[in-house]
Amino acid sequence: MNLKNFHKQISRKIYERGEEYYENDMVANVEHNAPDTWTAEVEGSDLYSVEIKLTGDEITSYECDCPYDYGDICKHVVAVLLYIKDNRDEHPVNIEMPSSPSQEQLAEILKQTNNKELTSFLSQYADKHPDFHHVLISNFHPKKKATPLTDYTKEIQKCFKHSYDSYGYRNGGQSIAHKLDKYIEKAKSLIKLNCQEEAMTILFHIIRGTGDGYEEYDDYDGDLGSVCQEAAKLLGEMINTGLPDDLPEKLSDEIGILIKNSNYDNYDLADLDGLLFSVSLKTANFDNAIRIIDETLKGEPDSFRTPSLVKSKIALLEKAGKKEEVGKVISTYLYLPEIRIIRLKALISEKQYEKALALIEEGINLAEKKGHPGTVTDWKDEKLSVYKLLENKVKVIELAEDLFVSGRESMKYYHILKSVIPTEKWANYLDDFLSESKKRQSWGLGPVFAKIYIAEEYWDRLMVYVEKNIQLGKYNSLGEYEPYLKTRYPERMLTFYRTQITDYAAKNMGRDHYKYVSDVLKTMKKYPGGTEIVNALLAHFKTIYSNRRAMMEELGR
């Protein structure tokens, strides 16, 4: 085939697919390593390696490691051929031809040596020969090269284009992450070599590329998000370790651009607030960071991340020693629970409890108007804490009873009540309280009551609770209670098991269910008198379900 007209000798469909790959910039890492040899990588459902040999314009051979095996040229080879055809002049031969027999021999030896072996040899030789070590550093250390910094913009952008996941779906986050991994490793290496600017450039391109289109990527396993988080973590480590004088300002400007993209907070991709705060601490240029946050707040006056941005601004103002400004910001955003709590903690530390209670009451009213019951509960919990400081037992009891019924951390409020109710009154109080709680909240508190029965050693009530509320099944909670009941109520437990497992066997079919039935029967045999009941159940099951072959096998074991 000839490079100029090879399309005439291949399938039209394959040619068009290869042309699409080429036009969409899916050909990467093209190298012209010998006069007749070209290598490249092509992005598809994976990253495929292609090698093509040319004599002039004549295509003498081609190879691709893709799984295509229909006896014809594949689309990846077509894409590379089209690239060579259009860009041949931009790729002179990378390796100069040897000018002497000894150089020719060395070139052939190097062709037979893999990178790992060569790297090991160079490292050991350089360690023993200081002059050679100096030559290597002078010629190959990134900082000492005369060439300008690599432009990673296009390279990293390509990683985000037309990526596929392992199932062949477009925009697979896993595939993108796989391509970006080598750039993360490159950045780590550059950091070790003290090439912070180049490393910073790589990391910002990864973070920017991820955030810009994250909603379009199918990152169902979180691999791409993890790469972005690692890039941000590396930036944070660079800031803390110390950057050259000219980089912190560039870093701050870049963060100022990225922070306006809410995707980083939406999907927890990068803590840009934290990075901005860290670089501000290092430079003491708090005003610039505050300006960036103000611009972001102006664009999102009341979004889900407003509290986070405001808290960052408050922290920066505090570091800058602008206490008056801190107060103004808190007052402006007092409608946010996360900011109101800052004012509340300050009032409590100053022992201004009446003002603290008034602030909490306002928070409760705001939350009720907005229909946020969870926030109402949070504020009531804060109120309870204040009344504990005031040693107002009446209010503590009133709030603890109310919060117990809310169902969130009910045991916490049970313990608070037990700590303030006199010991001699506790038993009667608890009976009345549990009875009243059941009336106020008829669902959801059952497991809490069971925990209280255990704490109070009300074993008969626990047994009744199990009999009325627990149903056997793979995810039942009987295991929590059985250790307390097995020796105290063996007959009732066996009756419970017998009734439940008979019903379970009647309603469930399949080997997993039959295994579960067998496991329950084994448990029952450990009870006094359990063997007789189990034998009776086995006989019953073998009579009723004799046609269930899998069940008979499991019971037989």
Side-chain angles (χ1 to χ4, degrees):
M1 289 191 296
N2 192 282
L3 187 63
K4 293 181 178 177
N5 58 12
F6 73 93
H7 63 282
K8 295 180 180 179
Q9 300 177 49
I10 64 174
S11 157
R12 181 179 175 181
K13 183 178 179 181
I14 293 293
Y15 180 82
E16 288 176 349
R17 291 289 287 130
E19 187 177 41
E20 181 184 346
Y21 272 43
Y22 168 55
E23 289 177 352
N24 285 309
D25 290 329
M26 296 172 79
V27 178
N29 301 324
V30 179
E31 293 184 6
H32 190 188
N33 294 324
D36 64 341
T37 305
W38 293 76
T39 60
E41 291 180 329
V42 181
E43 301 169 24
S45 55
D46 207 334
L47 196 63
Y48 298 113
S49 297
V50 174
E51 181 180 279
I52 295 171
K53 289 188 179 293
L54 292 169
T55 303
D57 286 336
E58 198 65 27
I59 304 165
T60 57
S61 70
Y62 53 81
E63 288 184 16
C64 179
D65 61 1
C66 75
Y68 183 81
D69 188 23
Y70 293 95
D72 201 354
I73 194 170
C74 72
K75 58 194 174 187
H76 309 111
V77 172
V78 170
V80 177
L81 287 171
L82 290 171
Y83 179 93
I84 296 170
K85 185 178 177 183
D86 290 348
N87 302 280
R88 201 170 193 172
D89 294 340
E90 297 178 18
H91 293 272
V93 180
N94 291 340
I95 299 176
E96 294 182 4
M97 291 298 290
S99 58
S100 68
S102 62
Q103 286 182 322
E104 185 175 349
Q105 183 185 37
L106 180 59
E108 292 303 321
I109 290 172
L110 290 175
K111 285 181 184 178
Q112 303 300 320
T113 307
N114 64 47
N115 287 339
K116 189 174 181 180
E117 291 174 330
L118 188 58
T119 301
S120 177
F121 169 78
L122 288 173
S123 178
Q124 292 177 33
Y125 190 82
D127 191 47
K128 295 176 182 177
H129 298 80
D131 289 345
F132 181 67
H133 183 274
H134 177 73
V135 171
L136 277 179
I137 296 295
S138 299
N139 283 275
F140 296 105
H141 193 293
K143 251 190 168 181
K144 297 180 181 293
K145 285 184 178 180
T147 54
L149 289 175
T150 304
D151 181 8
Y152 291 99
T153 308
K154 190 173 182 181
E155 278 190 41
I156 294 177
Q157 279 179 349
K158 278 186 177 180
C159 295
F160 291 93
K161 285 187 177 180
H162 310 291
S163 291
Y164 297 78
D165 63 16
S166 56
Y167 300 100
Y169 294 110
R170 288 283 291 275
N171 296 330
Q174 188 180 58
S175 176
I176 298 171
H178 178 71
K179 295 172 192 173
L180 291 175
D181 279 340
K182 69 177 181 181
Y183 290 101
I184 288 285
E185 294 306 313
K186 173 86 170 175
K188 288 179 180 177
S189 177
L190 288 166
I191 291 168
K192 290 178 182 177
L193 292 169
N194 205 30
C195 301
Q196 287 101 327
E197 184 172 4
E198 195 167 353
M200 191 175 85
T201 301
I202 291 171
L203 297 173
F204 263 116
H205 280 308
I206 291 172
I207 295 170
R208 183 185 292 114
T210 304
D212 282 349
Y214 193 73
E215 291 178 331
E216 299 173 14
Y217 306 131
D218 295 320
D219 192 29
Y220 51 85
D221 54 7
D223 282 0
L224 179 55
S226 295
V227 170
C228 189
Q229 288 170 350
E230 186 170 9
K233 181 183 175 184
L234 288 171
L235 274 177
E237 290 172 358
M238 289 173 67
I239 294 168
N240 293 330
T241 303
L243 294 169
D245 292 342
D246 59 328
L247 289 187
E249 189 175 343
K250 290 182 181 179
L251 186 58
S252 184
D253 290 342
E254 288 284 358
I255 295 172
I257 295 168
L258 296 179
I259 205 169
K260 293 178 174 63
N261 183 343
S262 61
N263 276 349
Y264 297 105
D265 278 336
N266 269 347
Y267 301 101
D268 194 23
L269 299 176
D271 180 14
L272 297 178
D273 294 13
L275 289 176
L276 184 62
F277 186 77
S278 295
V279 77
S280 299
L281 285 180
K282 288 291 182 180
T283 62
N285 186 0
F286 301 109
D287 289 342
N288 186 50
I290 292 167
R291 175 188 59 78
I292 289 169
I293 289 177
D294 280 339
E295 289 175 0
T296 309
L297 284 168
K298 190 175 180 182
E300 297 181 46
D302 195 13
S303 73
F304 79 96
R305 64 183 186 143
T306 299
S308 172
L309 290 167
V310 174
K311 286 168 78 174
S312 294
K313 181 177 179 179
I314 290 169
L316 288 165
L317 288 168
E318 287 176 341
K319 285 293 180 182
K322 299 182 178 181
K323 292 184 178 180
E324 191 174 329
E325 286 294 312
V326 170
K328 289 179 181 177
V329 172
I330 291 175
S331 295
T332 301
Y333 291 96
L334 205 57
Y335 65 91
L336 297 170
E338 297 87 344
I339 308 305
R340 182 175 289 268
I341 199 75
I342 296 173
R343 172 70 59 81
L344 176 64
K345 297 303 179 188
L347 290 172
I348 290 173
S349 68
E350 295 164 5
K351 297 185 178 180
Q352 297 188 46
Y353 299 127
E354 293 306 318
K355 288 185 178 180
L357 290 169
L359 192 73
I360 291 171
E361 204 58 48
E362 287 176 7
I364 291 173
N365 292 335
L366 279 171
E368 286 177 341
K369 286 177 183 177
K370 291 181 178 180
H372 296 164
T375 306
V376 171
T377 298
D378 290 339
W379 285 126
K380 285 183 177 180
D381 189 62
E382 293 292 344
K383 186 190 282 190
L384 187 152
S385 298
V386 174
Y387 280 126
K388 283 175 75 176
L389 291 171
L390 290 169
E391 298 183 356
N392 188 330
K393 291 186 178 181
V394 173
K395 287 293 185 181
V396 168
I397 292 170
E398 179 186 314
L399 282 162
E401 288 179 344
D402 184 36
L403 289 165
F404 176 92
V405 179
S406 73
R408 191 203 294 182
E409 297 185 279
S410 293
M411 288 301 290
K412 168 185 170 180
Y413 302 112
Y414 153 77
H415 288 296
I416 289 173
L417 289 168
K418 190 166 186 177
S419 70
V420 294
I421 301 294
T423 305
E424 66 276 11
K425 296 181 179 179
W426 173 245
N428 290 333
Y429 167 82
L430 183 61
D431 282 346
D432 293 340
F433 172 63
L434 293 180
S435 177
E436 189 61 32
S437 296
K438 286 178 184 177
K439 294 176 185 176
R440 291 180 59 192
Q441 178 66 283
S442 59
W443 55 271
L445 285 177
V448 176
F449 290 156
K451 289 179 180 179
I452 292 174
Y453 299 153
I454 292 170
E456 298 290 335
E457 299 185 0
Y458 291 170
W459 307 124
D460 190 61
R461 296 189 196 186
L462 182 63
M463 187 69 241
V464 172
Y465 170 80
V466 166
E467 290 168 334
K468 289 185 176 180
N469 297 282
I470 302 300
Q471 285 192 324
L472 288 187
K474 193 172 182 181
Y475 303 107
N476 73 73
S477 55
L478 181 61
E480 295 179 41
Y481 314 125
E482 187 171 28
Y484 303 106
L485 303 174
K486 183 176 181 179
T487 56
R488 292 180 172 91
Y489 304 100
E491 292 181 2
R492 287 171 70 176
M493 285 294 290
L494 278 172
T495 300
F496 167 80
Y497 270 124
R498 183 176 57 195
T499 303
Q500 289 271 330
I501 203 63
T502 302
D503 185 59
Y504 184 91
K507 293 178 178 177
N508 296 280
M509 295 180 65
R511 189 173 290 274
D512 284 346
H513 295 296
Y514 303 149
K515 285 180 179 178
Y516 178 73
V517 170
S518 295
D519 288 341
V520 170
L521 295 178
K522 289 175 187 175
T523 300
M524 292 175 67
K525 287 182 75 173
K526 296 175 183 177
Y527 278 78
T531 301
E532 292 81 359
I533 294 174
V534 169
N535 288 338
L537 283 171
L538 283 171
H540 173 72
F541 290 153
K542 287 177 181 178
T543 301
I544 301 296
Y545 308 117
S546 58
N547 60 333
R548 296 185 186 179
R549 182 180 57 81
M551 185 180 193
M552 295 302 105
E553 288 177 2
E554 294 302 326
L555 293 178
R557 294 192 180 104

